Amino acid sequence: MEPESFWRCFAEIARIPRPSGHEARIGAFILDRARKLGLEAAQDDCGNIVVRKPASPGKEKVAGICLQSHLDMVCEKNADKVHDFLNDPIELVRRDEVITANGTTLGADNGVGVAASLALMEEGSLRHGPLEFLFTVEEETGLTGAKNLSPALVRSRTLLNLDSEEEGALYIGCAGGKDTVGCWSFDAEAAPADAVALAVAVKGLRGGHSGLEIDKGLGNAIKLLNRALCRLSEMGARVVAMNGGDMRNAIPREAAAKLYLPAANLAQAEALVSELDLVFRKELGTIDAGVKLTMSREDLGGAKVIGSAVQEKLLKAICALPSGVQRMSHDITGLVETSTNVSVISTSENGVTLVTSQRSSSASRLREVVESVESIFELGGAMVEVSEGYPGWQPNVDSAILKLAQDSYRALYDRDAEVKAIHAGLECGIIGERIPGMDMVSLGPNMEKVHSPEEKVYIDSVAKFWNFLLEILKTAQ
């Protein structure tokens, strides 16, 4: 596979577990690689790493360029896949012209950027100016590394972010975002008499990135499950627990509830579940054709149920919560301006926590949608927490690195690269705040279904992305 150096580095880092908050091993690997190559390296208190590669002879006066990627990956797997993300390597699979993983996320987000940087650290034939390779931590769980980046760590004032997912596209702006979390406390009640214990589950959905794929009409497992529970509650169902979703920035693929139902209403409930199973498949059509709603007997061992008043408020609040695109951009055709996603629900012994995520390229619209979700939570009796969030990245169409990238792409491929903004949080927004005056553009190869076990990267697009990077670095003045 070409480029050989890229794919070798990609395979190497796939063997190193790197969940968010557990980047020590991959960080040590990068520092060791830099040492073996004789390159200067530094690390800040947060764990971010920069590696510096001197200019080629005669290119010392070229302005330095920083290539930035993040070390962590989203850890999602299929329910039947046995995999420990803290210890097991990612199992790479080639299917024709696609690289994917065996039942887990691939980690191409942002393993592609890390592998490209590692390969460029080794590259000996390219004539280039001074280069810095910035590796940040905990991007997927709140952009923590970028937020705490020491400005002194980076000397360059031009940055190539290697965390985009569309070959031939140059991203110059991104959405800001916040998480809004609702928490319900309850006094557990005894399981009702003459009731059957059941498990109701939604599974088979594709899931995906809650920013990049929010406009695809994908099914949200928590919202679908809640529709079933609202109907079952009319038959006297008492909920023991609701759990679903794994990541705040992913559309939940699976969700399940444990409950008790009056035995006299079991046949009616079974008919309802069969009906809704068909309804969900019809609604989601080909976009999420694998959706399944199931109900089965469960041994709950007399587990207690959520208090009836809290159950009613919880189910109604989830029903009222928006989830999906809220507004399209008037400035950039096809760009989602504002969205919200119902992300993760979990139940403890005496509480339920529901995490939602809001994004917008408009600061005022972001505030509006956060306040809407916050109000629904409060009306539903929940305690509410709103995260600090992260800023958007304001596009600069007069950017010098954008012009260089456009000229380089046109020279290579005899066509223009598309200039876009993205409905997701890129670290560029925060890095631009931490290091004022940083001129930035984001690029990458073609990837799909990131943040899900169907994540894939297209081999031919990686070669084009790689050659594009080389051209930019070679022609920088």
Side-chain angles (χ1 to χ4, degrees):
M1 292 169 57
E2 296 293 336
E4 184 277 334
S5 59
F6 171 91
W7 288 113
R8 173 173 46 78
C9 291
F10 189 82
E12 285 178 328
I13 64 174
R15 292 194 285 269
I16 304 172
R18 55 188 198 279
S20 300
H22 299 272
E23 296 96 333
R25 279 172 287 187
I26 185 69
F29 173 83
I30 288 168
L31 291 171
D32 182 64
R33 181 62 54 87
R35 180 184 58 79
K36 289 177 179 176
L37 292 169
L39 302 178
E40 177 188 352
Q43 189 170 26
D44 66 14
D45 292 340
C46 189
N48 301 308
I49 294 171
V50 70
V51 178
R52 301 187 180 96
K53 185 175 183 179
S56 304
K59 302 276 278 185
E60 293 87 354
K61 293 185 179 180
V62 173
I65 294 178
C66 177
L67 296 97
Q68 186 262 323
S69 54
H70 64 83
L71 294 175
D72 58 323
M73 62 174 282
V74 166
C75 298
E76 285 261 351
K77 66 183 184 68
N78 291 324
D80 59 350
K81 175 67 177 178
V82 178
H83 187 92
D84 180 0
F85 282 103
L86 287 173
N87 295 292
D88 297 340
I90 300 299
E91 302 167 30
L92 302 180
V93 178
R94 179 171 181 171
R95 297 193 178 118
D96 299 321
E97 292 306 306
V98 164
I99 297 296
T100 186
N102 180 18
T104 70
T105 37
L106 173 63
D109 175 14
N110 189 217
V112 160
V114 175
S117 291
L118 286 168
L120 285 166
M121 284 163 54
E122 300 176 357
E123 173 62 42
S125 61
L126 178 70
R127 295 188 71 250
H128 57 79
L131 299 180
E132 290 184 306
F133 303 94
L134 174 62
F135 304 93
T136 54
V137 297
E138 295 186 58
E139 189 268 355
E140 300 290 3
T141 53
L143 304 159
T144 304
K147 288 178 179 177
N148 293 280
L149 175 66
S150 171
L153 197 66
V154 181
R155 299 169 183 168
S156 307
R157 287 302 177 265
T158 299
L159 184 141
L160 298 175
N161 170 272
L162 308 181
D163 194 18
S164 290
E165 297 157 14
E166 184 180 358
E167 192 281 320
L170 297 170
Y171 286 89
I172 61 170
C174 71
K178 290 180 179 287
D179 294 339
T180 307
V181 181
C183 301
W184 286 264
S185 298
F186 61 83
D187 294 323
E189 299 176 358
D194 300 322
V196 290
L198 301 168
V200 178
V202 173
K203 56 184 66 176
L205 295 170
R206 293 166 58 183
H209 192 288
S210 64
L212 299 178
E213 297 184 285
I214 199 68
D215 61 334
K216 300 296 190 295
L218 297 164
N220 183 301
I222 296 172
K223 291 285 286 182
L224 294 174
L225 175 66
N226 191 71
R227 286 170 62 180
L229 294 180
C230 286
R231 297 283 298 276
L232 290 170
S233 68
E234 297 172 2
M235 301 176 190
R238 296 298 305 277
V239 177
V240 173
M242 291 177 67
N243 294 287
D246 294 304
M247 299 293 296
R248 61 166 188 84
N249 53 3
I251 301 168
R253 300 177 298 111
E254 298 181 349
K258 297 177 180 180
L259 55 88
Y260 291 99
L261 184 82
N265 295 335
L266 181 59
Q268 184 183 2
E270 289 173 338
L272 171 67
V273 169
S274 295
E275 174 194 336
L276 288 177
D277 179 53
L278 293 173
V279 167
F280 292 166
R281 275 186 274 164
K282 183 176 180 180
E283 288 179 353
L284 293 171
T286 57
I287 191 67
D288 248 329
V291 62
K292 292 182 180 179
L293 175 67
T294 63
M295 185 171 72
S296 59
R297 294 292 188 106
E298 182 85 357
D299 182 6
L300 298 180
K304 293 186 176 182
V305 300
I306 297 171
S308 58
V310 173
Q311 175 180 309
E312 182 179 11
K313 290 180 178 180
L314 171 66
L315 298 183
K316 287 185 175 181
I318 298 173
C319 183
L321 282 171
S323 192
V325 175
Q326 302 301 295
R327 186 181 178 89
M328 300 297 291
S329 171
H330 292 309
D331 300 317
I332 301 177
T333 303
L335 175 68
V336 177
E337 180 207 79
T338 306
S339 73
T340 181
N341 180 58
V342 176
S343 305
V344 182
I345 189 168
S346 58
T347 306
S348 63
E349 185 176 342
N350 56 4
V352 178
T353 300
L354 180 59
V355 180
T356 70
S357 178
Q358 291 76 48
R359 305 174 190 264
S360 184
S361 51
S362 163
S364 60
R365 293 289 185 185
L366 177 60
R367 179 174 179 175
E368 178 189 32
V369 71
V370 168
E371 288 175 345
S372 174
V373 172
E374 190 176 8
S375 297
I376 291 169
F377 277 146
E378 289 176 348
L379 290 169
M383 296 292 292
V384 187
E385 295 180 4
V386 179
S387 72
E388 178 185 353
Y390 52 89
W393 169 25
Q394 189 69 30
N396 175 16
V397 295
D398 297 321
S399 157
I401 187 59
L402 172 62
K403 185 179 187 305
L404 172 60
Q406 288 176 302
D407 292 345
S408 299
Y409 195 85
R410 192 180 302 112
L412 269 180
Y413 301 119
D414 196 30
R415 67 182 180 90
D416 290 334
E418 294 184 75
V419 178
K420 297 185 172 185
I422 190 171
H423 189 64
L426 289 176
E427 290 167 293
C428 295
I430 298 171
I431 292 172
E433 273 198 340
R434 300 289 294 168
I435 309 175
M438 185 70 83
D439 189 16
M440 302 174 285
V441 69
S442 181
L443 60 152
N446 288 330
M447 292 189 278
E448 292 179 358
K449 302 299 174 191
V450 298
H451 297 189
S452 83
E454 295 181 42
E455 181 181 3
K456 62 188 70 170
V457 60
Y458 287 83
I459 297 169
D460 61 343
S461 75
V462 168
K464 296 187 72 175
F465 159 69
W466 174 256
N467 291 331
F468 183 27
L469 268 182
L470 297 183
E471 185 71 15
I472 292 173
L473 300 178
K474 179 178 69 176
T475 56
Q477 298 298 317

